[in-house]
Amino acid sequence: MENDREEPIERNRGPLRLPKLRRWTVYYVSLACWTTGALWLIFRYFLRTEGKFGYKAHPLESWWLTLHAGFSFWVIWLFGLLWSIHIVRGWNANWRRWSGGFLTGFAFILTVTGVGLYYLPQNWRAWSSLIHWIVGLATLGIFLIHWLSKSLPKRT
Ligand code: HEM
């Protein structure tokens, strides 16, 4: 279904755009969530040093994870804010549906695997972690496609 509403598509599109402050909050908080996750990976896998008793974590490593967890809860809250005014309306108006659909799916996977990091047994946790950070890193690419794509819905 392309657009079965009575109003013209342009009028449907208008409210999809969030007010400026909310829009930039979504951008900054999501970017902070992504950056802290990526920094944790860099510090964990590239900046550990060899200590007397094995590998020694960089002092900032645990900070990135703490910040990441904090921002991620904020991201879930923002996702709820976007759900009805942006995501469902955008889907119904067939506006950037592919990239938006992927972004929504990725957010779902990240939330589920994020919870898995806390509660799954150790062997499942390793898989949850792997899926979480691979999907997490890829999310930036999907977001950029979604953000920069100029596609407009086709008229029926
Ligand atoms: C909806 C978005 C996201 C949610 C809800 C989320 C949630 C979480 C949670 C709850 C943790 C566990 C924190 C802890 O152990 O204290 C975590 C860890 C992590 N997240 Fe995310 N995250 C999200 C997005 C991302 C993104 C975009 C990236 C990629 C850059 C990412 C990378 C990581 C990494 C590398 C870890 C550490 C994994 C481990 O401990 O094995 N996350 N995330």
Side-chain angles (χ1 to χ4, degrees):
M1 180 172 48
E2 295 275 315
N3 177 47
D4 58 357
R5 305 252 165 120
E6 292 288 307
E7 326 103 270
I9 286 162
E10 285 74 15
R11 274 180 53 207
N12 265 349
R13 263 200 68 192
L16 285 176
R17 205 174 165 81
L18 291 172
K20 205 173 174 185
L21 180 67
R22 284 199 218 166
R23 190 155 24 104
W24 283 101
T25 306
V26 171
Y27 293 156
Y28 281 129
V29 174
S30 308
L31 188 64
C33 181
W34 190 92
T35 308
T36 48
L39 280 169
W40 182 85
L41 281 173
I42 294 169
F43 278 69
R44 174 87 161 87
Y45 292 107
F46 299 107
L47 297 178
R48 286 200 149 182
T49 47
E50 193 100 43
K52 245 189 192 169
F53 307 103
Y55 282 111
K56 207 169 144 242
H58 190 284
L60 285 179
E61 187 186 306
S62 65
W63 276 104
W64 296 131
L65 202 54
T66 307
L67 285 170
H68 178 72
F71 281 117
S72 70
F73 284 104
W74 199 352
V75 164
I76 296 171
W77 184 78
L78 290 171
F79 188 77
L81 172 92
L82 287 176
W83 181 256
S84 57
I85 50 173
H86 184 81
I87 299 170
V88 173
R89 294 183 94 143
W91 181 269
N92 288 339
N94 197 13
W95 187 79
R96 303 183 189 181
R97 204 184 247 193
W98 273 98
S99 55
F102 267 97
L103 258 187
T104 305
F106 276 24
F108 180 73
I109 293 171
L110 286 170
T111 308
V112 172
T113 51
V115 172
L117 292 174
Y118 288 132
Y119 300 111
L120 285 175
Q122 204 50 41
N123 52 335
W124 284 93
R125 190 195 181 281
W127 282 105
S128 204
S129 168
L130 194 68
I131 295 169
H132 185 82
W133 66 257
I134 291 174
V135 170
L137 290 177
T139 301
L140 183 65
I142 302 290
F143 169 75
L144 289 175
I145 292 171
H146 186 67
W147 193 43
L148 299 174
S149 92
K150 295 274 181 274
S151 65
L152 285 169
K154 291 182 208 105
R155 282 182 182 279
T156 48

